[in-house]
Amino acid sequence: MATIFTRIAKGEIPSYKVAEDDDFYAFLDINPLTEGHTLVIPKNTEADYIFDLDEHTYEGLTKFAAKVAKAIKKAVPCKRVGVAVLGMEVPHTHIHLIPLQSESDMDFKKERVKMSEADFAKTANEILRNFELL
Ligand code: 5GP
């Protein structure tokens, strides 16, 4: 059975898209640590662990994530975009990109930010717009 993230990339489950190409997909985390918290996934493999990806996919994913991070930095006021790989919940490789004001914003145990559907849509559109300008 397909992972939840494959189903998201195929559009079978809705998501707030922030970037896409033939091989990779980026969308807002539904339970964000900060506004603009984004997940970046490969579309054509469901490998659970990032370091098990083949070299080509690994390089493509990190390159794509770097571009998404640049778009996030332009779209969301923050000091830096933090990068994390956990995979404790969803067994499909994903990179977390998290706009940071301080170190504590990366605490995965902290209370998540509440965002309305309109907030999610606005943030996603702003990141997507900047991604397309890069
Ligand atoms: P991890 O597997 O890296 O420990 O955490 C998975 C992340 O995916 C969590 O931050 C969680 O909020 C997010 N997540 C889980 N299910 C969904 C979903 O269906 N849609 C979206 N947009 N994010 C999800």
Side-chain angles (χ1 to χ4, degrees):
M1 205 179 100
T3 68
I4 191 163
F5 285 175
T6 291
R7 298 187 63 204
I8 283 175
K10 286 185 171 164
E12 294 171 7
I13 293 174
S15 66
Y16 296 95
K17 176 168 105 169
V18 307
E20 182 170 23
D21 71 7
D22 287 346
D23 300 319
F24 306 104
Y25 188 78
F27 57 105
L28 294 182
D29 192 301
I30 206 63
N31 210 359
L33 281 167
T34 63
E35 183 197 336
H37 181 169
T38 293
L39 304 174
V40 186
I41 62 169
K43 298 203 292 197
N44 304 317
T45 170
E46 295 186 322
D48 176 6
Y49 185 50
I50 191 167
F51 294 136
D52 288 334
L53 292 175
D54 66 82
E55 202 171 314
H56 177 73
T57 307
Y58 175 78
E59 285 175 7
L61 178 69
T62 50
K63 246 177 152 170
F64 185 80
K67 198 172 159 192
V68 176
K70 285 189 183 110
I72 293 173
K73 183 80 173 62
K74 286 181 193 286
V76 181
C78 63
K79 287 196 177 148
R80 171 169 288 255
V81 177
V83 184
V85 176
L86 285 81
M88 303 302 287
E89 188 185 322
V90 180
H92 179 139
T93 293
H94 52 283
I95 296 176
H96 293 257
L97 298 175
I98 304 158
L100 303 178
Q101 293 299 347
S102 73
E103 203 177 300
S104 59
D105 287 335
M106 283 290 271
D107 179 358
F108 278 79
K109 287 196 212 130
K110 87 178 175 78
E111 200 179 330
R112 304 292 176 117
V113 170
K114 300 272 173 293
M115 284 174 63
S116 67
E117 282 184 28
D119 291 338
F120 273 117
K122 187 164 174 275
T123 303
N125 286 339
E126 196 52 21
I127 298 171
L128 183 58
R129 192 178 69 76
N130 278 281
F131 182 81
E132 285 169 351
L133 290 172
L134 288 170

